[in-house]
Amino acid sequence: MRFEPTEIARLYGRSRVGVVVHRDLTAVYVNDAYAKMLGRKDVKDFMSEPDLRQYIPPSFHYEAATLVAEFQKATGFHGWKKVYNLRTDGTPVWMEISDETVEWADENAVLTTAQLIDNGTTAMQVDHMLGRSFIGVMVHRDMTALYVNDAFARLMGAENASAFMEKPNILRFIPEADRERALKHVADILHGEREGERHRVRDVLDNGNIVWRDLTDERILWHDGRPAILTTAHDVREEVEMNEALMRTKAGLEEAVTEVIRMVPSAVAMLDIRQNVVNYNREFARLFGTEQGNSDAAPVFDITILREMYDAMIKSGHGHANNESVRTPSGCHADIRMNLMEDGGVMVSALDISSHKRKEQHLDALASTDPLTGALNRRGFESAVSRLREIRQLKGKVWQFGLVVLDVDYFKYVNDTYGHSVGDRVLEKIAVTLRQALRDDDLVVRLGGEEFAVLLPSATAAVTKRIAERLATMIRAIEIPVGNSGDENVTITASFGVTVGGELRGHFVELEQAMLTADRAMYAAKEAGRDCIKFLTFDDDIDS
């Protein structure tokens, strides 16, 4: 059967029978009657959250989804059934519904009609839902059981539900001192004067044994049309006994924890729910304590970092948090771990990694610099250029740079004639000369062998050429003494390739492309007789 929204609204819009059309348990149409059955103000309120799963008890989600999937693939009418739904305020509602497959917007959907069951919950319905549940269930009025399942009967010492119902008076299980309060509690729920919150009770069974139960109470209509109370019960005897045992040893445990914390080599502390330091060891005081004039005075802690970690952990819904390489108030770097405890406090551990951090920085420096000259190597050069570019972009400035590549002329002759030690001194002197001639922001890199490069941030082509000429003059002036007397000096020259990169004339020249261009220009200088400068751009011919 095919339906249009206007047609179904005309047929059922003002009907007292609840109607919902849905696909994959998502409503595509409801009338006011159905919306109000489930606690919504009207259709608009209902359709603001059209997912029908919110009204289905979680234990029936899978069954409901399976049925709807089958109905959407089928045709025709699928019969009547009684269902138990939850309104938006959490109260139960029993409805008699029918399901029918219809065509809606050229696809199958399920049309469900619903009527409230006026005579309320029946024992058959409760038993169908909860009779075999491992959770204890009882329906009672005036402290007399109207229904129990087997789980509840066994919890209260009976063999089964039938045996329990031979003596349905439940007031006998309540200690005499608690009976007046219990009677008022159930009377208030029965008359709708209070909600039935979860609570823990201690009952005494007929054989004298003690049983602890966690209860929830809910007001329902029984099949006789009168209110009753639906109680669910969990056996928590083991939990209570364990808690009592823990409480008996709490003082000893606290002393043991304090001693363990004191002996742990890493920084350890316990913070209470208000993030105050409760227990701590000496290492924690060193990392997070502030200096006091009196050495005997209790330390004052700066735990701002830890409180921020706690807030982020609680907000994320996790019970643990990690924060690596954090700078502590003492100036050290530490890896911090935080774990939530049952009482809402936290256990904190911190490992001082300052020496590791220093070694890491030293290793990083070794990995990014040339050991002979102290200039950057290729890895360090690329990393430094990347940082410079990011800084320029963060400041909103155009990224442009000058690049000079130079290669020492006849360096093999120096090595072959005077030895590699002299060649090394030549390279060291060139690196020193380049650094002395340039600004702090300029980068000097040894590309390998006798080849160097200089990157000039923010330099124009004219500035880059001028600096290259100055560097060439300074390198010509280098003299390296040789021989035992030191009377003889080695002088050197270099061939220079110059280019510019970055954002140029509507193009962006990357560092890698600029390096290739400068290298090509340097080889052109070599071919032109050495000891000269050649300038190229990414799309120009050689310019002398």
Side-chain angles (χ1 to χ4, degrees):
M1 182 179 295
R2 179 182 177 87
F3 276 103
E4 297 293 338
T6 54
E7 181 183 6
I8 201 167
R10 178 176 57 80
L11 290 173
Y12 295 108
R14 298 183 180 180
S15 174
R16 294 183 181 180
V17 176
V19 176
V20 58
V21 179
H22 54 97
R23 186 181 293 119
D24 300 326
L25 289 178
T26 300
V28 295
Y29 169 85
V30 294
N31 66 357
D32 274 339
Y34 190 87
K36 291 174 180 177
M37 283 181 189
L38 293 175
R40 292 291 187 175
K41 292 186 296 184
D42 51 28
V43 170
K44 183 179 180 181
D45 183 27
F46 187 101
M47 292 302 288
S48 66
E49 296 178 306
D51 187 357
L52 299 182
R53 290 174 182 83
Q54 62 187 300
Y55 308 108
I56 301 171
S59 57
F60 293 101
H61 280 185
Y62 176 81
E63 180 183 349
T66 302
L67 283 175
V68 168
E70 291 175 357
F71 292 169
Q72 287 175 189
K73 295 177 183 178
T75 58
F77 182 72
H78 307 296
W80 290 85
K81 64 177 90 45
K82 292 179 180 179
V83 298
Y84 173 68
N85 280 181
L86 299 173
R87 294 190 178 96
T88 53
D89 60 3
T91 58
V93 55
W94 280 92
M95 298 187 295
E96 192 167 23
I97 68 169
S98 69
D99 293 308
E100 180 180 2
T101 302
V102 298
E103 188 176 351
W104 183 273
D106 297 326
E107 290 185 51
N108 279 1
V110 179
L111 184 149
T112 298
T113 61
Q115 300 181 66
L116 295 179
I117 300 175
D118 294 331
N119 65 346
T121 309
T122 68
M124 180 187 69
Q125 292 162 345
V126 172
D127 192 54
H128 174 71
M129 283 202 312
L130 305 171
R132 298 182 182 180
S133 173
F134 67 90
I135 299 171
V137 178
M138 173 180 63
V139 179
H140 60 98
R141 183 190 296 134
D142 301 328
M143 287 296 180
T144 300
L146 303 174
Y147 165 84
V148 296
N149 67 355
D150 283 342
F152 188 91
R154 287 191 290 269
L155 179 60
M156 303 308 292
E159 183 179 351
N160 53 41
S162 297
F164 182 95
M165 292 302 289
E166 292 176 4
K167 295 172 63 178
N169 173 29
I170 59 175
L171 190 61
R172 71 182 192 275
F173 300 117
I174 301 173
E176 190 170 348
D178 298 331
R179 287 179 183 177
E180 185 177 347
R181 179 185 55 80
L183 287 167
K184 185 177 187 313
H185 173 80
V186 297
D188 288 346
I189 295 175
L190 200 61
H191 297 117
E193 295 176 2
R194 69 179 297 172
E195 297 290 333
E197 73 281 358
R198 186 182 181 91
H199 59 289
R200 181 165 293 182
V201 300
R202 172 181 176 270
D203 288 342
V204 181
L205 304 184
D206 292 336
N207 61 6
N209 290 339
I210 302 298
V211 60
W212 286 90
R213 298 179 295 149
D214 274 3
L215 305 182
T216 55
D217 295 315
E218 185 176 308
R219 183 179 184 272
I220 64 171
L221 279 180
W222 198 232
H223 64 84
D224 57 6
R226 296 169 54 203
I229 296 176
L230 174 68
T231 296
T232 59
H234 296 263
D235 186 353
V236 292
R237 278 175 291 190
E238 291 185 1
E239 181 183 336
V240 171
E241 290 169 2
M242 184 179 296
N243 186 61
E244 289 175 348
L246 289 173
M247 291 299 292
R248 285 192 297 269
T249 59
K250 182 179 179 182
L253 285 173
E254 287 181 347
E255 291 177 6
V257 167
T258 301
E259 182 64 16
V260 168
I261 288 175
R262 187 184 67 80
M263 296 175 63
V264 171
S266 58
V268 178
M270 293 176 66
L271 278 58
D272 63 20
I273 195 169
R274 297 180 182 85
Q275 292 92 64
N276 296 316
V277 179
V278 179
N279 289 309
Y280 62 92
N281 63 0
R282 184 177 299 175
E283 180 68 359
F284 184 87
R286 183 180 73 84
L287 292 181
F288 294 93
T290 57
E291 292 187 9
Q292 302 296 304
N294 183 359
S295 59
D296 296 330
V300 176
F301 295 106
D302 180 357
I303 58 170
T304 304
I305 298 167
L306 303 182
R307 287 178 174 144
E308 291 172 352
M309 278 185 68
Y310 177 86
D311 291 341
M313 178 180 69
I314 296 301
K315 186 176 181 180
S316 69
H318 295 154
H320 57 86
N322 300 328
N323 205 344
E324 297 184 352
S325 192
V326 178
R327 189 174 180 84
T328 68
S330 64
C332 299
H333 285 83
D335 287 348
I336 302 175
R337 306 289 181 266
M338 180 177 287
N339 290 282
L340 189 65
M341 296 189 295
E342 188 175 348
D343 62 359
V346 290
M347 175 72 78
V348 176
S349 64
L351 180 65
D352 186 352
I353 60 167
S354 300
S355 61
H356 174 74
K357 194 77 175 174
R358 287 191 292 271
K359 291 177 183 177
E360 189 178 74
Q361 291 170 346
H362 178 64
L363 290 173
D364 187 61
L366 290 176
S368 58
T369 56
D370 173 49
L372 174 64
T373 65
L376 293 171
N377 59 21
R378 281 184 178 270
R379 177 176 177 271
F381 180 51
E382 291 171 359
S383 177
V385 170
S386 178
R387 288 196 298 271
L388 282 172
R389 180 178 179 180
E390 288 174 1
I391 291 170
R392 297 286 297 182
Q393 289 175 338
L394 286 172
K395 292 182 177 181
K397 296 183 178 180
V398 173
W399 169 242
Q400 185 175 323
F401 59 88
L403 183 64
V404 178
V405 171
L406 61 123
D407 188 87
V408 181
D409 296 330
Y410 304 110
F411 185 71
K412 185 176 184 302
Y413 173 79
V414 173
N415 273 336
D416 292 346
T417 304
Y418 302 104
H420 287 281
S421 62
V422 173
D424 288 348
R425 285 160 57 198
V426 168
L427 298 177
E428 291 172 350
K429 184 63 177 177
I430 289 174
V432 170
T433 301
L434 294 176
R435 282 197 294 270
Q436 290 175 344
L438 299 171
R439 302 167 301 178
D440 291 340
D441 289 344
D442 300 331
L443 302 179
V444 177
V445 57
R446 183 185 177 192
L447 297 175
E450 64 272 26
E451 189 175 3
F452 291 81
V454 173
L455 185 130
L456 309 169
S458 308
T460 62
V463 170
T464 305
K465 290 178 183 179
R466 193 159 58 248
I467 290 176
E469 290 168 357
R470 179 153 53 91
L471 294 177
T473 300
M474 295 179 71
I475 288 174
R476 293 187 193 103
I478 291 175
E479 293 183 349
I480 304 296
V482 295
N484 295 330
S485 63
D487 294 337
E488 184 181 359
N489 292 318
V490 171
T491 59
I492 54 173
T493 60
S495 300
F496 287 76
V498 179
T499 190
V500 287
E503 298 178 20
L504 304 169
R505 294 180 296 184
H507 292 79
F508 192 91
V509 180
E510 297 285 358
L511 175 65
E512 184 178 357
Q513 188 177 6
M515 288 289 292
L516 292 173
T517 302
D519 208 46
R520 188 158 59 93
M522 184 270 294
Y523 279 109
K526 289 278 188 187
E527 293 173 0
R530 295 180 171 81
D531 190 20
C532 63
I533 299 168
K534 293 294 180 180
F535 176 80
L536 278 178
T537 64
F538 71 100
D539 58 356
D540 285 342
D541 293 330
I542 296 172
D543 176 9
S544 57

